Amino acid sequence: METANAPGPQDTRTDRGGHGAQDARSAAADNRSVRDPAAEPPHRIRAVHTETTVTVYQAYPPEIGLAAARDGRFPEPWKRDRMTWVKPSFLWMMYRCGWATKAGQETVLAVEIERAGLEWALEHACLAHYRRGLHPDRAAWQRLLRRSPARVQWDPERDLRLRPLPYRSLQLGLAGEAARRYADEWTVSVTDVTPLVHRIHGLLRDGEPEAARSLLPAERAYPVRPGALAHLGGDGPG
């Protein structure tokens, strides 16, 4: 089963008071040595990227993940007619797959894709849920959702201990034309990063968070043109 096709629970704990808000404040303080969460826009794409590519993460069972890393492309069992979700955030992927311990998500892949592909997907995407003020009405959003080959969720970013931070991370769902383009046109390289995942997780279990943090991928704000995320509830340029 291709478990990476599921987006995972949409965590809204930071939107409410109580323990969720307290956890977010604690996570923000823990993460402050990396960046100041208070200075972060609530919605922004953060990723490892070059001038031409951007890296996203997925987790699969070994029979799919190992074959994809070996061949540099997704194998025959990978269903191009199903929605697949990709995540530019390494730590959100760790939250989703439990540091590669969840069944069917034991192999974590770093998939380097063309930036032009990501930008095409964002341009043709629809927000995964109805938002008053962004969509004319719920029926209009549902029509847009049905015809869009991509959809977007903004979920709370995670700190090193996978606690929610007070700003959000992109999840991008690809279906139909977008999924086929992702697998057959946009993919530049596929790397099995499961050993890195296990090493970071092991350092955390051994009480060495700074050593673990030093191994994290160097994600930074991804540049988008002004207004490119407006239809997705995002904030201005990255």
Side-chain angles (χ1 to χ4, degrees), residues 137-219:
D137 52 47
R138 189 173 295 274
W141 165 73
Q142 290 173 336
R143 289 192 297 271
L144 181 61
L145 191 68
R146 284 195 295 270
R147 67 173 184 260
S148 297
R151 60 188 60 178
V152 160
Q153 286 186 188
W154 298 100
D155 294 292
E157 180 59 286
R158 301 284 153 169
D159 75 346
L160 189 58
R161 300 187 185 280
L162 306 186
R163 298 171 297 189
L165 287 162
Y167 51 88
R168 293 181 175 261
S169 177
L170 175 76
Q171 282 198 81
L172 179 63
L174 306 171
E177 181 182 1
R180 292 189 294 272
R181 287 187 176 212
Y182 169 67
D184 301 325
E185 298 177 20
W186 302 340
T187 297
V188 174
S189 69
V190 182
T191 304
D192 179 5
V193 294
T194 314
L196 173 65
V197 170
H198 290 164
R199 187 177 177 192
I200 294 173
H201 193 208
L203 287 168
L204 285 173
R205 290 198 308 266
D206 292 342
E208 300 184 51
E210 291 310 312
R213 192 189 308 280
S214 71
L215 298 178
L216 292 176
E219 295 167 5

Side-chain angles (χ1 to χ4, degrees), residues 41 43-46 49 220-227 229 235-238:
H43 305 84
R44 173 184 275 177
I45 301 171
R46 304 165 188 85
H49 57 88
R220 52 199 173 94
Y222 181 85
V224 297
R225 60 178 174 78
L229 302 179
D235 302 292

Side-chain angles (χ1 to χ4, degrees), residues 4-223:
N5 282 10
Q10 186 170 8
D11 190 331
T12 57
R13 286 180 294 166
T14 55
D15 293 339
R16 302 190 297 268
H19 294 297
Q22 182 177 353
D23 287 348
R25 288 192 294 270
S26 176
D30 183 66
N31 212 45
R32 204 170 290 275
S33 62
V34 179
R35 64 165 66 95
D36 182 2
E40 287 288 316
H43 305 84
R44 173 184 275 177
I45 301 171
R46 304 165 188 85
V48 172
H49 57 88
T50 70
E51 289 185 2
T52 58
T53 66
V54 57
T55 296
V56 296
Y57 298 95
Q58 294 192 288
Y60 289 98
E63 59 268 26
I64 292 179
L66 295 179
R70 181 193 65 222
D71 299 335
R73 66 189 306 273
F74 290 101
E76 192 61 33
W78 197 89
K79 304 298 184 183
R80 286 161 172 75
D81 58 348
R82 292 178 59 185
M83 176 162 286
T84 189
W85 288 83
V86 303
K87 303 159 183 63
S89 166
F90 179 83
L91 286 176
W92 212 100
M93 185 71 258
M94 296 307 98
Y95 168 69
R96 181 71 179 92
C97 72
W99 297 101
T101 63
K102 293 184 180 179
Q105 301 186 58
E106 301 93 341
T107 305
V108 179
L109 301 178
V111 184
E112 191 179 21
I113 65 173
E114 297 174 355
R115 280 174 56 160
L118 174 66
E119 288 158 15
W120 184 94
L122 293 171
E123 181 181 351
H124 291 84
C126 173
L127 199 62
H129 61 277
Y130 168 70
R131 182 179 295 180
R132 182 177 298 175
L134 184 64
H135 306 107
D137 52 47
R138 189 173 295 274
W141 165 73
Q142 290 173 336
R143 289 192 297 271
L144 181 61
L145 191 68
R146 284 195 295 270
R147 67 173 184 260
S148 297
R151 60 188 60 178
V152 160
Q153 286 186 188
W154 298 100
D155 294 292
E157 180 59 286
R158 301 284 153 169
D159 75 346
L160 189 58
R161 300 187 185 280
L162 306 186
R163 298 171 297 189
L165 287 162
Y167 51 88
R168 293 181 175 261
S169 177
L170 175 76
Q171 282 198 81
L172 179 63
L174 306 171
E177 181 182 1
R180 292 189 294 272
R181 287 187 176 212
Y182 169 67
D184 301 325
E185 298 177 20
W186 302 340
T187 297
V188 174
S189 69
V190 182
T191 304
D192 179 5
V193 294
T194 314
L196 173 65
V197 170
H198 290 164
R199 187 177 177 192
I200 294 173
H201 193 208
L203 287 168
L204 285 173
R205 290 198 308 266
D206 292 342
E208 300 184 51
E210 291 310 312
R213 192 189 308 280
S214 71
L215 298 178
L216 292 176
E219 295 167 5
R220 52 199 173 94
Y222 181 85

